[in-house]
Amino acid sequence: MTQDIGELSDEAAVQALAAVAEELGLLGAARQYDWNEAELSETLDAGYVDAYLSPGHSVASDGELARATLVYVASLGEDMARTVNEAADFARSPSERSLLMTIGVPVLVVVVLQTEVLVKRDTRGKWSLTIHKKAMKDAALGRVFTALLSRIGGGQ
């Protein structure tokens, strides 16, 4: 399955991730987030991002972030692997349907990983990001966090 996901184009990977979010009933939640990458980036501790990412680490593209997330989600069990496989098949098929609309890939990642990542806004309107870190022996999850942090912390 990892190779199959790795062969998705950037656009197809993003569409597959959106399809997974839709299948899990999470697109509504994704549409409710009104933060953008710049706002979220401001909340990150640059030292934490620098310590987590290797020096010179490039910013992940939408497709790289989507593929890393799809690999992780597929590793969560047979049902999730089947969902990801169906979403990848959907994304490869010719279709005029776009699930993304105005939803950014980092938002899709956060809602799909909602048990791992918490984004919230305080009473002053400041955003915060809390990552519930598991042991990073789970390489697939580590790749998702690395890609996500590179995207939202890439401007620092």
Side-chain angles (χ1 to χ4, degrees):
M1 164 105 15
T2 301
Q3 181 179 352
D4 193 38
I5 292 168
E7 293 173 356
L8 291 172
S9 69
D10 283 359
E11 183 180 338
V14 171
Q15 284 295 311
L17 181 60
V20 167
E22 181 180 51
E23 180 65 25
L24 298 175
L26 300 171
L27 278 185
R31 289 185 184 101
Q32 292 176 354
Y33 280 114
D34 61 353
W35 55 267
N36 63 42
E37 290 175 49
E39 285 179 309
L40 197 55
S41 179
E42 291 173 9
T43 69
L44 293 177
D45 178 336
Y48 174 77
V49 172
D50 290 344
Y52 190 80
L53 299 177
S54 58
H57 193 281
S58 61
V59 175
S61 70
D62 282 347
E64 291 167 329
L65 180 54
R67 281 188 291 275
T69 305
L70 290 168
V71 168
Y72 173 70
V73 170
S75 76
L76 297 177
E78 282 186 43
D79 288 343
M80 294 306 290
R82 192 171 17 264
T83 298
V84 169
N85 189 43
E86 290 170 2
D89 288 345
F90 164 80
R92 280 189 207 92
S93 67
S95 173
E96 297 300 316
R97 185 174 169 206
S98 175
L99 295 174
L100 280 183
M101 295 185 265
T102 59
I103 302 170
V105 174
V107 172
L108 287 171
V109 171
V110 168
V111 297
V112 168
L113 299 179
Q114 61 186 336
T115 60
E116 311 297 343
V117 179
L118 173 65
V119 178
K120 62 182 177 179
R121 182 178 260 171
D122 67 18
T123 56
R124 297 179 316 241
K126 187 87 170 150
W127 288 101
S128 66
L129 172 77
T130 305
I131 298 173
H132 302 281
K133 278 179 34 173
K134 292 182 177 181
M136 283 301 141
K137 66 181 178 197
D138 188 340
L141 184 57
R143 284 189 291 275
V144 173
F145 285 149
T146 298
L148 182 61
L149 286 174
S150 80
R151 279 298 299 275
I152 59 180
Q156 296 185 17

